[in-house]
């Protein structure tokens, strides 16, 4: 196996547990190296640090899979997938959850969500793509799923030099897949919906609505398939309105509301435009939920994204009644917690509102975070009250 040496004094961050080796930290990046090739990483003196996979086309040159000199084979992936499954079993999440969370489960570049007997996987890197047969064998051994949907259509694959494809192994998946989360039944599109079809990372944050929405008129912005809105209705909101620009998502949201026998109105509208219209009409809400898709995919776009976050938060604050609740989120790891907090302070000042922080939350426990890798803590969820 090829050994890549680090430059002098570049090993500390990696020895402390971070799983990424950047190209400028390596003494030499071989010209004949193939994307996805397994390599060993050593310090400048030649001492073994870890084993992972290489992509010479990426700024993240090596993603470490193990700190031991062990074989990366089917047994390796069975072990990692089984350990991840054992953690989820302790969380009492039922039969639907994020089954593998990339670096958080020691399998960087691999995402797997479980919807009952259906698994939806994303191979996001060349190294994981190279291990596809071993990974699929591991998933089949640990979960014995009826189907594995390979949602390999993420734009991040292009950065790795990979094609964007969608395929299904096992039984065909002809339409929406049904599952249960926190006592609510959903149907989601695992073939064409956002990401893998659903967002398990907000599971525990949605449950935080329990003590906040009763008797309140509630607005769910970027509602997607209606998970926040339906949860709010279940917890006693007096009226629930959801907004999303996707007709397909809103159609599923309406079906999901009916499936759970709750009343909620869903609108196919641009959220920014609809918030402006509601402000002109002087509408008021007791609770507003902002859970947008990532506004920023690179550090170069952070300033532009902050403008978008500020606008929707400012307009939401203007729509809140006195003492109203704002649940506002960001899923971009390029905008950290303090940057998001500063944006909220700026937005509240522009809106002429004072905010009280009731709770600061992150992703659900089936999305474990590596303490040494802040990038794995990507979700921010601020629950604030207006004056």
């Amino acid at each position: 196996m090829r050994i890549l040496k680090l430059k002098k004094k570049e090993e500390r961050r990696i020895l402390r547990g971070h799983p990424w080796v950047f190209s400028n930290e390596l003494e030499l990046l071989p010209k004949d190296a193939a994307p996805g090739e397994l390599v060993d990483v050593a310090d400048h003196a030649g001492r073994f640090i870890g084993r992972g996979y290489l992509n010479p086309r990426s700024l993240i040159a090596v993603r470490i899979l193990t700190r031991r000199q062990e074989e990366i084979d089917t047994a390796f992936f069975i072990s990692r997938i089984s350990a991840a499954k054992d953690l989820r079993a302790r969380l009492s999440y039922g039969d639907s959850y994020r089954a593998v969370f990339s670096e958080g489960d020691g399998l960087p570049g691999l995402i797997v969500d479980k919807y009952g007997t259906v698994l939806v996987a994303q191979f996001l890197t060349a190294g994981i793509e190279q291990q596809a047969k071993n990974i699929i064998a591991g998933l089949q051994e640990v979960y014995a799923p009826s189907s594995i949907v390979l949602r390999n259509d993420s734009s991040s694959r292009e950065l790795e030099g990979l094609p964007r494809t969608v395929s299904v192994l096992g039984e065909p998946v002809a339409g929406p897949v049904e599952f249960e989360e926190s006592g609510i039944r959903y149907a989601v599109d695992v073939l064409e919906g956002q990401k893998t079809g659903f967002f398990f990372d907000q599971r525990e944050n949605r449950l935080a609505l329990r003590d906040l929405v009763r008797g309140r008129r509630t607005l769910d912005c970027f509602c997607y398939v209606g998970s926040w809105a339906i949860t709010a209705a279940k917890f006693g909101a007096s009226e629930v309105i959801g907004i999303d620009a996707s007709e397909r998502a809103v159609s599923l949201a309406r079906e999901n509301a009916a499936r759970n026998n709750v009343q909620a109105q869903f609108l196919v509208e641009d959220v920014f435009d609809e918030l402006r219209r509601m402000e002109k009409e002087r509408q008021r809400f007791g609770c507003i939920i902002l859970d947008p898709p990532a506004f920023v995919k690179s550090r170069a776009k952070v300033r532009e994204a902050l403008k978008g976050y500020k606008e929707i938060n400012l307009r939401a604050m203007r729509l809140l009644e006195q003492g109203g609740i704002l649940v506002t989120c960001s899923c971009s790891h390029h905008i950290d917690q303090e940057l998001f907090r500063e944006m909220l302070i700026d937005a509240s000042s522009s809106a002429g509102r004072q905010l009280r922080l009731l709770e600061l939350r992150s992703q659900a426990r089936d999305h474990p975070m590596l303490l040494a890798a802040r990038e794995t803590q990507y979700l921010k969820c601020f629950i604030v009250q207006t004056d």
Side-chain angles (χ1 to χ4, degrees), residues 30-51:
K31 292 182 179 180
D32 64 339
E37 178 184 342
L38 291 172
V39 296
D40 281 349
V41 176
D43 66 12
H44 186 68
R47 290 182 289 262
F48 175 83
I49 290 179
R51 177 166 293 174

Side-chain angles (χ1 to χ4, degrees), residues 19 33 54 70 100 133 141 167 183 191 254 284 288 310 319 330:
L54 170 70
E70 59 183 317
V100 176
K133 289 184 179 179
E141 173 69 23
S167 58
L191 295 176
R254 289 169 179 157
R284 290 292 179 267
I288 297 178
K310 180 181 177 180
L319 290 171
S330 168

Side-chain angles (χ1 to χ4, degrees), residues 50 117 182 199 223 263 282 299 330 352 361 363 365 375:
T117 64
S182 302
F199 296 98
C223 67
Q263 295 297 314
R282 298 184 181 276
R299 292 194 182 279
S330 168
R361 306 182 64 89
Q363 63 244 41
R365 291 174 291 170
E375 297 87 347

Side-chain angles (χ1 to χ4, degrees), residues 17-38:
H18 202 289
W20 297 349
V21 179
F22 295 100
S23 57
N24 61 1
E25 294 172 328
L26 291 171
E27 193 174 75
L28 178 67
L29 192 57
K31 292 182 179 180
D32 64 339
E37 178 184 342
L38 291 172

Side-chain angles (χ1 to χ4, degrees), residues 113 115 179 181 186 188 194 196-200 206 225 227:
D113 278 347
Y115 303 93
F179 67 99
E181 183 212 72
Y186 295 101
V188 298
Q194 293 183 34
T196 70
F198 191 70
F199 296 98
F200 287 117
R206 287 189 282 265
V225 296
S227 53

Side-chain angles (χ1 to χ4, degrees), residues 357-374:
L357 179 61
L358 302 183
E359 195 169 2
L360 178 54
R361 306 182 64 89
S362 188
Q363 63 244 41
R365 291 174 291 170
D366 55 355
H367 292 62
M369 299 163 269
L370 281 185
L371 201 59
R374 293 185 180 182

Side-chain angles (χ1 to χ4, degrees), residues 128-276:
I128 288 298
E129 183 89 350
Q130 287 288 325
Q131 298 295 325
K133 289 184 179 179
N134 287 330
I135 292 167
I136 290 167
L139 291 172
Q140 290 170 332
E141 173 69 23
V142 175
Y143 283 107
S146 60
S147 309
I148 301 177
V149 179
L150 300 178
R151 280 294 302 270
N152 291 329
D153 56 352
S154 169
S155 60
S156 65
R157 282 174 59 90
E158 294 179 349
L159 300 175
E160 292 278 319
L162 300 172
R164 297 170 70 170
T165 63
V166 177
S167 58
V168 180
L169 305 176
E171 295 178 10
V173 178
V177 172
E178 294 192 31
F179 67 99
E180 181 178 306
E181 183 212 72
S182 302
I184 297 174
R185 296 294 305 175
Y186 295 101
V188 298
D189 185 350
V190 298
L191 295 176
E192 297 183 5
Q194 293 183 34
K195 302 291 186 177
T196 70
F198 191 70
F199 296 98
F200 287 117
D201 55 0
Q202 294 279 21
R203 177 195 300 260
E204 291 156 6
N205 299 336
R206 287 189 282 265
L207 294 178
L209 294 179
R210 184 186 304 275
D211 303 318
L212 301 174
V213 297
R214 185 168 302 279
R216 295 181 185 268
R217 187 177 188 229
T218 299
L219 178 65
D220 177 12
C221 299
F222 310 96
C223 67
Y224 190 43
V225 296
S227 53
W228 283 100
I230 294 167
T231 303
K234 281 278 192 179
F235 288 158
S238 60
E239 180 186 359
V240 177
I241 300 172
I243 310 170
D244 199 281
S246 167
E247 290 188 14
R248 176 58 174 154
V250 166
S251 177
L252 282 171
R254 289 169 179 157
E255 292 174 17
N256 286 330
R259 184 173 282 106
N260 290 280
N261 297 313
V262 299
Q263 295 297 314
Q265 178 186 3
F266 293 98
L267 309 174
V268 181
E269 299 287 352
D270 178 271
V271 169
F272 288 85
D273 293 342
E274 191 63 13
L275 289 178
R276 293 187 195 102

